[in-house]
Amino acid sequence: MERRVNNLTHNTSTYFYRTLYLVFFLTILWISNAAAQQKELDSGTKYEINSITVTGEQSFNEKTVIAFTGLKVGDRIYIPGEKLSSVTKKLWEQNLFSDIAFYVTNIEGDKVDLELYIVELPKLNEITIDGVRKGKRKEIIKDNNLKKGTKITKNLVTTTKNNIRNRFKELGFFNTQVVFSMTPFVDSLGNELGKNMKIVVDRGERVKVKSIRFDGNKDLSDKKLRGFMKNVKKKNPIRFYKRSKYTESGFEEDKARLVEKYKENGYRDARVISDTLQIIDEKNIALNLEVEEGKKYYFGDVRFIGNSVYTDNFLRQYVGIQKGEVYNGTLLKERIQDNSDPDALDLTNLYQNNGYLAVDINPVEVAIRQDTIDFEIRILERNEFYFDHVTVIGNDKTNDHVIYRELRTRPGQKYSKRNVVRTIRELGQLGFFDAEQLSPNFKNVDQNNGLVDLEYSVVEKGSSQIELQGGYGGGGFVGTLGLSFNNFSLRNIFNGEAYKPLPMGDGQKLSLRAQASSFYQTYSLSLTEPWLGGKKPVQLSTSFSHTIQYLFNFNTRERDNDRRFLITGGSVGLAKRLKWPDDYFQLSQAISFQHYNLKNYNTGLFTFGDGFSNNLAYTVGLSRNSTSANPIYPRFGSQFSVSAKLTPPYSAFGGADFKALREEREDLVDFLQTNPTDVDTNDRVAEIDQERFKWLEYYKIKFDGTWFTTIKGDLVLRSKAEFGFLGAYNSDRGVPPFERFFVGGDGLGSFSLDGREVIQLRGYPNQSLSNNDGNTIYNKFSLELRYPVTLKQLASIYVLAFAEGGGAYDGFRNYNPFTLSRSAGAGIRIFMPAFGLLGIDFGYGFDPILNGTVRNGWETHFIIGQQF
């Protein structure tokens, strides 16, 4: 009988499946032979290994196993002894076996034959997980390393089961059950090659909080304390925006928030003494919290120690805490340093924006007199710091001068945190770099000389976009090809070596677009230079477009090449960054011209088939953009713009009598109501309209305001308000049937010839809230809640929920800002550098469309290339 000679055992196999007879027989046999063998082994004698064999359930090569142990024939070892124990421990550490044991099979003098008995852990072949969604299934497999070939240990099963339970427990499923089962995986010869694992997950019902009770609170009611809890909420059938659920991490956050709220209300010593979770049934729990409010405190004297740059009075006014106010520990902390806002008006930013990079400010309680706390705000100002070297790394496409002209930090300049934060924003707003990876790195901080090096790290991203679309609509196939190069280099356009594949890196924007169908063609070209002359941020914008439309018979699907409508236009604009009121403001000016030429072409836009019309306009706008660094997903800040588009007042210096023409036209139109085919009357109306529209005359005022507010973490609320008005200088000449507003739909500008503006209002068909001729006034209000899925360089994706309302009106007599068409819904946005912004929205219209009688209901909108 063999004798087991190693003392380290770790048998994870279960032998209860053996028959009772076999266990009894082997036990008796082992006892009888072990006693005899014990006499033969001498623990004080070194034995020579005569032979080594490997047995057990395993697939390893015997020679490989023996070589790994380090034992070889001829070695002299103690049995039992430290050598065999260390070999056994070494084998256990490989996590490959469920049983390891050394046996002596024969003894001849001082020579022994050793047998190494090992049982290999089964390998995972295939895993199936039932009871969870596909996405969760992948997460469970990845998080627990359940890949093919993994050794199945008892620890792996236990850890995986606990991880799954904890995952769903954190989501509020307290009664989650996880069941494992294993089946052998055998080959065609019946040899077992591994195990197939099946995991069945039963989440059960989500646990809801039936009640939250507080004990020990006197000054703050239960209702108020429950309101402070943001993660764990009591069941309330009326509350739809926050469902009731319990998670351990959320509950811990809420307890900490309760203490902070107490401190905000003067209770400096408040604490949660205990909490109890009571299970009512499988679906409901109750929470009981015992709090100790302590005494209510007030601010006493606030003194400043160590300040030499600013006076006590100035700092006291800046902090804004007065003696006798209710103590607020959270407010005091924010007035010293508010980490949630890089531009906060706190003491740390006050110093750091004026050169004191290493300033250290600490509020210290120096005396407590009954219910009054005196503070010393101790300030260690240290030296003023200046930038020694300012560098940029990571720009392998964008030229240095494009980046350095945006920097607000210069060598020799006094350190300012505000300027560092602003530089990060300006670099992000360029759109050439991954805004989520922009970072300022401070190096070589010299405390003695007050010098610091600053290195900006940027990561280039694709800044060019291609638009390639094809579809059937508007009477035939419509194809679009558009190219936008947002970091173009015009100066290298004739430099062959710069084509990689195109000359890039100077920050200019070049856009080319062509669209064609069976009856129209449109071509456009635009170029923008953001720094005209390279010295100041003066932006030059130029554009040119040309459209040809032929008369098309939608019944015969034929076009008439002899009857066409030509539109040729262009614009030149300048935009200058201002310094007052602050340098977020920009003043823009542009001159645009469009020429409409009709050749035997009758359309609803004009009553004359042969003729022309000109649209010369001057546009001036004032805008302010203070949003955060990432233009794709702003987290805070705002955007405002107000603009006026004006044509010359031709009526003031023209010779035409538009009052007489208006009266004559009204009479002619009345006559045509009963004689619509009268040729002479129609020709005269066309002559009058040709005179009215020879040079278009109007003014157009627009306002747009957008605010971005961080709710929590990356959850952002976008609030937006818009207004537009189209008016006429001369009421007799009237408002032209151009440049009007069309409200409703996805906001994509469909093919049109009249300069219309399509206003997005989701939940309704395109332009369904305006009449056929458009409207002269519109307003719109919207709220959009956004949350990012990913903001990586290759793709930025965020989901959104929206609620909005808008309306279109003809003149101020009909204007009512509260008469709105309302909608709500949800959607997703995907921004890829190569294709721009893509998205889809599902909106529900709560009101009828124009001239409708029932609410519009659900609409699906595809979003392509619109603003963020």
Side-chain angles (χ1 to χ4, degrees), residues 306-307 309-310 336-337 346-362 378-385 415 447:
N307 53 307
V309 180
Y310 302 102
I336 300 300
Q337 185 172 6
D346 57 48
L347 288 184
T348 302
N349 279 348
L350 174 68
Y351 272 92
Q352 290 194 346
N353 288 335
N354 288 278
Y356 294 90
L357 169 64
V359 66
D360 189 16
I361 306 175
N362 291 299
R378 297 174 182 176
I379 303 173
L380 184 58
E381 295 176 338
R382 297 192 175 96
N383 293 335
E384 284 185 298
F385 276 79
Y415 168 78
Q447 293 274 8

Side-chain angles (χ1 to χ4, degrees), residues 775-790:
N775 300 97
T776 58
I777 300 176
Y778 90 95
N779 58 207
K780 177 190 167 186
F781 310 95
S782 68
L783 295 173
E784 192 171 280
L785 201 59
R786 302 174 170 183
Y787 189 80
V789 177
T790 178

Side-chain angles (χ1 to χ4, degrees), residues 194-244:
K195 298 284 187 182
N196 292 328
M197 178 186 290
K198 183 176 182 180
I199 305 175
V200 179
V201 180
D202 181 7
R203 299 185 310 176
E205 294 289 337
R206 190 190 299 271
V207 173
K208 300 185 183 301
V209 183
K210 188 172 184 179
S211 65
I212 303 176
R213 297 187 181 92
F214 295 90
D215 293 322
N217 54 314
K218 297 178 181 178
D219 290 349
L220 296 182
S221 66
D222 283 18
K223 183 178 180 181
K224 198 163 191 177
L225 292 177
R226 283 194 293 265
F228 293 151
M229 300 174 71
K230 301 300 182 184
N231 298 309
V232 178
K233 293 288 188 182
K234 190 177 80 167
K235 282 200 303 186
N236 186 343
I238 301 176
R239 187 182 60 246
F240 62 88
Y241 59 89
K242 183 74 174 180
R243 59 187 177 183
S244 172

